[in-house]
Amino acid sequence: MDEQLSSRGRQILEAIIEDYIVTAEPVGSRTITRRHPMSLSPATVRNVMADLEEMGFLASPHTSAGRIPTDKAYRFYVNSLLSVRNIGRDEQEEILRRCSVAGKDMAEVLKETSRMLSSTSHYMGIVVAPRFDANIFRQIEFVRLGSRRILAILVSRNGTVQNRIIEADEEIPADDLVKMSNYLNELLEGLTIAQVRKKLLQEMQSDKARYDQLMARALALSTKTVNEDDAEVFIEGQVNIFDQPEFADVAKMKDIFRTFEKKSTILQLFDRALVAEGVQIYIGAESHLSDMPGMSLITSTYVTGQNTLGVLGVVGPTRMGYAKVIPIVDYTAKLVSRLLEME
Amino acid sequence: MDEQLSSRGRQILEAIIEDYIVTAEPVGSRTITRRHPMSLSPATVRNVMADLEEMGFLASPHTSAGRIPTDKAYRFYVNSLLSVRNIGRDEQEEILRRCSVAGKDMAEVLKETSRMLSSTSHYMGIVVAPRFDANIFRQIEFVRLGSRRILAILVSRNGTVQNRIIEADEEIPADDLVKMSNYLNELLEGLTIAQVRKKLLQEMQSDKARYDQLMARALALSTKTVNEDDAEVFIEGQVNIFDQPEFADVAKMKDIFRTFEKKSTILQLFDRALVAEGVQIYIGAESHLSDMPGMSLITSTYVTGQNTLGVLGVVGPTRMGYAKVIPIVDYTAKLVSRLLEME
DNA sequence: CATTAGCACTCGATTTGTTTGAGTGCTAAT
DNA sequence: ATTAGCACTCAAACAAATCGAGTGCTAATG
């Protein structure tokens, strides 16, 4: 069934896709010949288009409209047709400028990155923050707030801070708090947060803990601190989809916004991209998410050294400017990697 | 011009408003007599409605449609007609349950509160976090991340944490960091963050700083830490406005979402509510924000002791269920006050 | 024999016209 | 003062007519 595509077929398919990307209207044979002068008559183009439709690259909304590319067409376009042009000098600078907000903590940087992705691509920018789990323990600190209220602050090497308020069962003197943190800091030095979690459990069951009240309490406190890991997601530029004609309909809008309101769906999606390497492209149904029909996403992981930290990317309609967005995502991911590397 | 409203006039106005609140359709004389049996003929109602229109309580979209309440009508309704019914037992419990997420830091609690406000009211929930400025300094801590990278952690009495990564000009030994934080903790004890800011400036210009290198550096670092105050806003349930028929139009939707995307507008609005006390109601143009025509908001401040901490509230169409939402906002504000009080 | 001109045909979108019905204001009867 | 009656209005809903971009097919063409 998969007859080879003639060179002319490719050329016409490409023309159709590119036209559709900018106009969002079904494109017909006339239009093609007008906008991409290639010394062919509409009739010929029609024949070719009929072939392309049979091969599953095109679909017609109804008999007397033009044709629109299918997911398969976009896939082919991205794989074979598209010459990923290099990222523009000015774009590059814009990205660099926007991401290099000095002195901010990581969350701020990533949020700004997401915002930048959305405004340079004109679609939605998404950044999934590194799982706290993968970070390396740096220090734990306890601050007394009230007689029993204790603020626990957990710092990891890259400067991420997690804090949590703990109600202690009984009052703990300030000195003890210092001792406790000293003890823990020594104990947990150099471990990842995931390992820290395990270690704490082990320690609590060990003999030492049973004899040393203070230690036991320290362990209990820190377990409470460290015991959850909700990955953060930054989604920005949702309003951009209002400008996409294919969603210009309140019902569809609502669906989309609902989907992106609960971030778990997105997380699930991006988690898949996390295991892959480099730029990933999911076109339409390829995302296997029925919640977002007609949308594509372009993602890339960002890393430090060998470790994959997180994923970032852009979500837009399948009819998205791949040629422009792919290099943006790619460059941004590398940039963010570099920025975090320095830490 | 402000002729007195007859008791019958009030009654009919109330009927119209309440009808419009549930149907969102212009209401006519027939409808009124049908739905609110009050032994009056449509013709009579018509006469009264004409009077009400002249007085500025009603407006007709066009001659042969029913009439809709004006802002003035809602204002009158809220001031004079509305009997704020007590909050329902079950609603109260729902709110209590949703807000009492133990062990979370304040940001989480407020975010959840906002989410709760939106889902119980079916409009948009907004919570403005306390200005960090007003908090009372508790402790500052420096953590070394790299040779020159230092993480500064600022804790206030109520457990709010702000942290910031600082690039130092030169390497600072760990001991010095401890000394510095000790010095600062003593210096800043008990001040509000706003005062801290001033104090730091003063100190830096004092003689001591000129002689004591270390102290000077400590001051410089902490100034960097403390030198910004971006109030946080939690806006949740934006999708709810998709269900409001008056905004069922892509252009209006877009405007609204755009407005709420940059939170500064909202902040500006809520800042005004901050100085007032208790429940505030802004109907339509009363908010003086041309960015959100046709919307009302109901806010209340939350406090601990004498201090106003922040504002929370609900934003919806002017045609909003005031009778239901007002007690919700009121109760929630009091609850949040209580929750933070305990800290 | 691939290409193209020609042509009848389709079908959504747009336009125009008609009907419907909820609503109004006014007047005259109650 | 209230209401029944009536002529009038106007958006919305529906239907028919028209338009036009597009199609598939066939026959002519280089």
Side-chain angles (χ1 to χ4, degrees):
Chain A
M1 89 169 241
D2 213 77
E3 315 132 54
Q4 204 51 261
L5 221 49
S6 73
S7 128
R8 193 174 62 183
R10 294 156 141 264
Q11 212 182 337
I12 288 177
L13 182 57
E14 187 171 6
I16 293 174
I17 293 174
E18 280 173 1
D19 226 68
Y20 187 69
I21 285 181
V22 317
T23 65
E25 302 273 302
V27 356
S29 50
R30 267 305 295 284
T31 330
I32 286 293
T33 54
R34 240 184 298 124
R35 273 200 275 256
H36 300 253
M38 50 175 78
S39 65
L40 278 181
S41 80
T44 315
V45 173
R46 270 207 290 285
N47 289 326
V48 178
M49 283 169 81
D51 296 347
L52 288 171
E53 179 161 7
E54 204 170 347
M55 287 190 250
F57 288 112
L58 296 178
S60 10
H62 55 87
T63 69
S64 78
R67 287 169 164 101
I68 61 176
T70 60
D71 289 359
K72 185 178 174 188
Y74 288 119
R75 172 49 62 193
F76 180 71
Y77 175 70
V78 166
N79 285 354
S80 318
L81 265 22
L82 187 68
S83 59
V84 175
R85 59 168 146 99
N86 251 334
I87 187 167
R89 249 265 163 267
D90 41 351
E91 235 161 16
Q92 196 172 326
E93 263 165 31
E94 164 82 0
I95 293 175
L96 192 60
R97 192 177 57 71
R98 295 272 305 267
C99 284
S100 316
V101 275
K104 297 280 188 180
D105 60 8
M106 189 172 65
E108 271 308 318
V109 172
L110 295 182
K111 192 173 200 167
E112 185 56 32
T113 300
S114 179
R115 213 171 279 143
M116 180 280 297
L117 277 173
S118 94
S119 68
T120 47
S121 70
H122 300 294
Y123 303 118
M124 247 191 272
I126 298 189
V127 176
V128 179
R131 295 251 152 188
F132 192 60
D133 264 22
N135 288 349
I136 294 175
F137 175 89
R138 178 71 188 73
Q139 189 164 329
I140 192 169
E141 207 68 47
F142 298 109
V143 177
R144 269 192 59 177
L145 295 177
S147 59
R148 289 175 179 193
R149 295 172 60 77
I150 294 166
L151 178 72
I153 303 175
L154 189 59
V155 182
S156 62
R157 271 205 195 148
N158 63 358
T160 323
V161 177
Q162 253 202 3
N163 51 276
R164 208 187 150 100
I165 294 172
I166 300 167
E167 303 287 345
D169 304 330
E170 46 191 316
E171 200 161 329
I172 303 177
D175 301 1
D176 284 3
L177 281 181
V178 176
K179 279 186 208 147
M180 280 159 63
S181 59
N182 284 343
Y183 162 58
L184 289 168
N185 282 327
E186 199 160 323
L187 181 69
L188 305 173
E189 168 80 43
L191 302 179
T192 67
I193 304 299
Q195 288 168 328
V196 163
R197 203 169 292 147
K198 262 191 224 150
K199 182 81 169 185
L200 286 173
L201 282 178
Q202 281 173 20
E203 278 312 289
M204 280 179 81
Q205 289 165 345
S206 80
D207 289 339
K208 273 189 289 181
R210 230 163 276 146
Y211 295 118
D212 190 333
Q213 260 288 312
L214 197 62
M215 241 181 241
R217 202 182 281 155
L219 292 168
L221 278 193
S222 47
T223 314
K224 280 186 190 161
T225 310
V226 88
N227 231 356
E228 86 202 79
D229 181 31
D230 39 357
E232 261 183 307
V233 195
F234 303 102
I235 304 177
E236 299 287 334
Q238 297 193 44
V239 282
N240 282 338
I241 63 161
F242 279 106
D243 299 326
Q244 304 304 325
E246 47 263 78
F247 305 127
D249 152 21
V250 183
K252 277 180 203 152
M253 287 282 173
K254 189 176 164 183
D255 281 349
I256 295 178
F257 275 85
R258 173 126 322 136
T259 303
F260 284 90
E261 193 172 57
K262 64 168 176 6
K263 300 181 174 174
S264 56
T265 318
I266 311 309
L267 214 53
Q268 186 190 334
L269 188 54
F270 273 62
D271 265 1
R272 233 179 303 148
L274 195 60
V275 298
E277 205 160 273
V279 176
Q280 294 293 109
I281 300 170
Y282 301 86
I283 293 166
E286 292 177 3
S287 70
H288 294 295
L289 277 192
S290 51
D291 282 341
M292 28 188 289
M295 311 202 80
S296 283
L297 60 158
I298 299 176
T299 68
S300 180
T301 53
Y302 57 93
V303 299
T304 64
Q306 302 307 317
N307 298 14
T308 300
L309 294 181
V311 196
L312 54 78
V314 167
V315 178
T318 43
R319 179 191 68 78
M320 117 154 69
Y322 296 96
K324 191 186 152 200
V325 178
I326 292 174
I328 289 180
V329 170
D330 187 31
Y331 177 73
T332 305
K334 280 173 185 152
L335 179 65
V336 170
S337 299
R338 197 141 47 86
L339 284 176
L340 299 184
E341 192 92 43
M342 302 186 329
E343 313 216 335
Chain B
M1 93 171 234
D2 213 78
E3 314 132 53
Q4 203 51 260
L5 219 49
S6 73
S7 126
R8 195 174 59 184
R10 295 155 140 263
Q11 213 181 336
I12 289 177
L13 182 56
E14 186 171 4
I16 294 174
I17 293 174
E18 281 174 359
D19 227 68
Y20 187 70
I21 284 180
V22 318
T23 65
E25 301 274 302
V27 356
S29 50
R30 268 303 296 284
T31 331
I32 286 293
T33 54
R34 239 184 298 124
R35 271 201 276 254
H36 300 252
M38 49 175 77
S39 65
L40 279 181
S41 79
T44 316
V45 174
R46 269 206 291 284
N47 289 327
V48 179
M49 283 168 81
D51 296 347
L52 288 171
E53 178 160 8
E54 204 169 347
M55 287 190 250
F57 289 112
L58 296 178
S60 9
H62 56 85
T63 70
S64 78
R67 288 173 163 99
I68 60 174
T70 60
D71 288 359
K72 186 178 173 187
Y74 288 119
R75 172 48 64 192
F76 181 72
Y77 175 70
V78 167
N79 285 353
S80 318
L81 265 22
L82 186 68
S83 59
V84 175
R85 61 168 144 98
N86 251 335
I87 186 167
R89 249 265 162 267
D90 41 351
E91 236 161 14
Q92 195 171 325
E93 263 164 33
E94 164 82 1
I95 293 175
L96 191 60
R97 192 177 57 71
R98 296 273 305 265
C99 284
S100 318
V101 274
K104 295 281 188 180
D105 61 7
M106 189 172 63
E108 271 308 317
V109 173
L110 295 181
K111 192 172 201 168
E112 184 56 30
T113 300
S114 180
R115 215 170 278 143
M116 180 281 297
L117 277 173
S118 93
S119 69
T120 47
S121 70
H122 299 294
Y123 303 117
M124 245 190 274
I126 298 189
V127 177
V128 179
R131 294 250 151 190
F132 193 59
D133 263 23
N135 288 350
I136 294 175
F137 175 88
R138 178 71 188 76
Q139 189 164 330
I140 193 169
E141 206 70 46
F142 298 108
V143 177
R144 269 191 61 177
L145 296 177
S147 60
R148 289 176 179 193
R149 295 171 60 78
I150 294 165
L151 177 73
I153 303 176
L154 190 59
V155 182
S156 62
R157 270 204 195 148
N158 63 359
T160 324
V161 176
Q162 255 203 1
N163 51 276
R164 207 185 152 102
I165 293 171
I166 300 167
E167 301 287 343
D169 305 329
E170 46 191 317
E171 199 162 327
I172 304 177
D175 302 1
D176 283 3
L177 280 181
V178 176
K179 279 187 208 147
M180 281 158 62
S181 58
N182 284 343
Y183 160 59
L184 288 168
N185 282 327
E186 198 161 323
L187 181 71
L188 304 173
E189 167 81 41
L191 302 179
T192 67
I193 303 299
Q195 289 169 329
V196 163
R197 204 169 291 147
K198 262 191 223 149
K199 183 80 170 186
L200 287 174
L201 282 179
Q202 280 173 21
E203 275 318 284
M204 280 179 81
Q205 288 166 345
S206 80
D207 289 339
K208 272 188 289 180
R210 230 162 276 144
Y211 295 118
D212 189 333
Q213 261 286 313
L214 197 61
M215 239 181 241
R217 200 181 281 155
L219 292 168
L221 277 194
S222 47
T223 313
K224 279 186 191 160
T225 309
V226 90
N227 230 358
E228 85 201 78
D229 181 30
D230 40 355
E232 261 183 307
V233 195
F234 304 102
I235 304 177
E236 298 288 334
Q238 296 193 46
V239 282
N240 282 337
I241 63 163
F242 279 106
D243 299 327
Q244 304 304 326
E246 47 263 77
F247 306 126
D249 151 23
V250 183
K252 278 181 201 149
M253 286 284 174
K254 188 177 165 184
D255 281 349
I256 295 177
F257 275 85
R258 175 129 317 141
T259 303
F260 284 90
E261 192 172 59
K262 63 168 176 8
K263 299 183 174 175
S264 57
T265 319
I266 311 309
L267 214 53
Q268 185 190 334
L269 188 55
F270 272 63
D271 264 1
R272 233 179 302 147
L274 194 60
V275 299
E277 206 160 273
V279 176
Q280 295 294 107
I281 299 169
Y282 301 86
I283 293 166
E286 291 177 4
S287 69
H288 294 294
L289 276 192
S290 50
D291 282 342
M292 28 186 289
M295 311 201 81
S296 283
L297 60 159
I298 299 177
T299 67
S300 180
T301 52
Y302 56 94
V303 299
T304 64
Q306 302 307 317
N307 297 17
T308 301
L309 293 182
V311 197
L312 53 79
V314 167
V315 178
T318 44
R319 179 192 68 79
M320 122 156 67
Y322 296 97
K324 189 186 154 200
V325 178
I326 293 175
I328 289 180
V329 170
D330 187 32
Y331 177 74
T332 305
K334 281 174 184 149
L335 178 65
V336 171
S337 299
R338 198 140 48 85
L339 285 177
L340 299 184
E341 193 91 42
M342 303 186 330
E343 314 217 335

